[in-house]
Amino acid sequence: MLLEGKKAIITGGTRGIGYAIAERFIEEGAAVTVFGSRQETADAAVEKLLADHPEAKVWGRTCNLAEMDEVVEAFTAAAEDMGGLDTVVNNAGISQSAPLLDYTAEDWKKVMDLNVTAVFNGSYAAAKLMEEAGHGGTITTTSSMVAKYGQPAGVGYPTSKFAVNGMVQSLCRELAPKGIRVNAVAPGITRTDMVAALPEKMIAPLIATIPLGRMGEPEDVANAFVYLASDMSSYVTGAVIPVDGAARA
Ligand code: NAD
């Protein structure tokens, strides 16, 4: 098993890509704490994971990821539950596809709070706990294929994912001497609630342009996270791995 004995935090782990990451991490032997936007959704995810994997070591938590103090406190408590912390996945994210002139200041703040500030806070808390424990670890964030070319509406979302890639490029250099590897996975169109919310007439033409000829499944994306959290990627840091079927390549 690739993650035997590792202890992992996954934000946005209650559904979609984050849930698939939690499931694959458990299958590979990791203890996992999933963070959700509400305690009830985190508890429901834990219950579902335990139903399929009765031996799993899994916990559910919530906190306001945009508040640094709350994140440090909650990650510290999660590390205490699990008996340590080796890997953090900053996956929680939201999309907002309004055109520029319909984009509100509130939309902008919501996207930046979760997609950028929460990633900064999660990376900070991860690095703090890993440094205090005196060992290295991994921090992996969910970016997006839109951080290559942008997108024709909803400017906040691609902007936030370009910011994530910038954080990866900087933090990989800063944290490498501490043995902490920092990477991202950039999914293409992946079958989750985020995509289910989009109209079919918007999705079908996008799929038609994907060289691999299909939408990604959450498990396709989760496998890249397994690799980056495992010792198989021991010489990989600062990478943004596309898992997009070569969409828009
Ligand atoms: P999803 O909507 O299915 O899941 C989002 C997760 O984020 C949920 O677990 C939810 O609890 C959590 N979340 C939402 N708002 C939150 C908040 N305010 N505080 C804390 N947690 C919150 O979405 P998904 O498609 O699984 O997306 C996961 C990540 O993948 C996101 O970062 C997204 O930008 C990225 N992504 C998705 C796609 C796609 O096609 N689905 C493509 C590229 C990147």
Side-chain angles (χ1 to χ4, degrees):
M1 289 199 285
L2 289 171
L3 302 177
E4 185 77 61
K6 304 251 191 223
K7 285 111 184 174
I9 284 174
I10 301 164
T11 70
T14 59
R15 59 173 198 252
I17 291 171
Y19 184 86
I21 298 169
E23 188 152 45
R24 287 291 297 115
F25 275 30
I26 287 167
E27 286 165 0
E28 293 296 339
V32 166
T33 301
V34 291
F35 275 70
S37 50
R38 290 180 293 123
Q39 189 62 48
E40 304 88 84
T41 54
D43 290 344
V46 168
E47 205 174 302
K48 202 165 154 215
L49 287 163
L50 281 173
D52 291 338
H53 308 277
E55 305 302 315
K57 291 185 184 128
V58 58
W59 290 260
R61 286 190 170 271
T62 191
C63 74
N64 182 352
L65 294 171
E67 287 297 329
M68 167 73 84
D69 292 350
E70 282 196 40
V71 175
V72 171
E73 196 181 320
F75 278 29
T76 303
E80 277 165 14
D81 288 341
M82 296 189 288
L85 181 64
D86 302 290
T87 181
V88 165
V89 173
N90 294 305
N91 167 74
I94 42 165
S95 180
Q96 159 59 274
S97 55
L100 180 60
L101 298 185
D102 294 334
Y103 220 92
T104 64
E106 195 190 334
D107 292 335
W108 178 263
K109 184 169 174 348
K110 248 173 138 173
V111 171
M112 292 303 148
D113 275 358
L114 190 62
N115 294 12
V116 182
T117 305
V119 174
F120 170 75
N121 291 342
S123 303
Y124 176 96
K128 184 174 186 301
L129 287 164
M130 288 167 192
E131 188 175 357
E132 281 169 7
H135 58 68
T138 67
I139 300 171
T140 315
T141 297
T142 312
S143 180
S144 168
M145 73 173 183
V146 302
K148 265 196 242 169
Y149 305 108
Q151 63 185 28
V155 66
Y157 183 72
T159 303
S160 71
K161 298 299 188 181
F162 274 97
V164 158
N165 292 1
M167 238 187 285
V168 167
Q169 287 308 311
S170 300
L171 288 180
C172 74
R173 291 176 167 76
E174 181 172 339
L175 299 178
K178 300 180 200 288
I180 300 171
R181 297 187 291 106
V182 183
N183 296 289
V185 174
I189 304 167
T190 311
R191 198 189 304 276
T192 68
D193 291 354
M194 190 179 267
V195 167
L198 299 172
E200 176 63 23
K201 69 174 194 293
M202 195 171 156
I203 293 294
L206 291 177
I207 293 174
T209 67
I210 300 172
L212 280 182
R214 65 169 175 91
M215 200 186 284
E217 298 297 332
E219 296 69 27
D220 292 320
V221 179
N223 284 328
F225 282 90
V226 169
Y227 167 70
L228 289 170
S230 78
D231 297 339
M232 279 182 76
S233 60
S234 52
Y235 199 53
V236 179
T237 196
V240 178
I241 299 184
V243 181
D244 61 7
R248 301 193 204 179

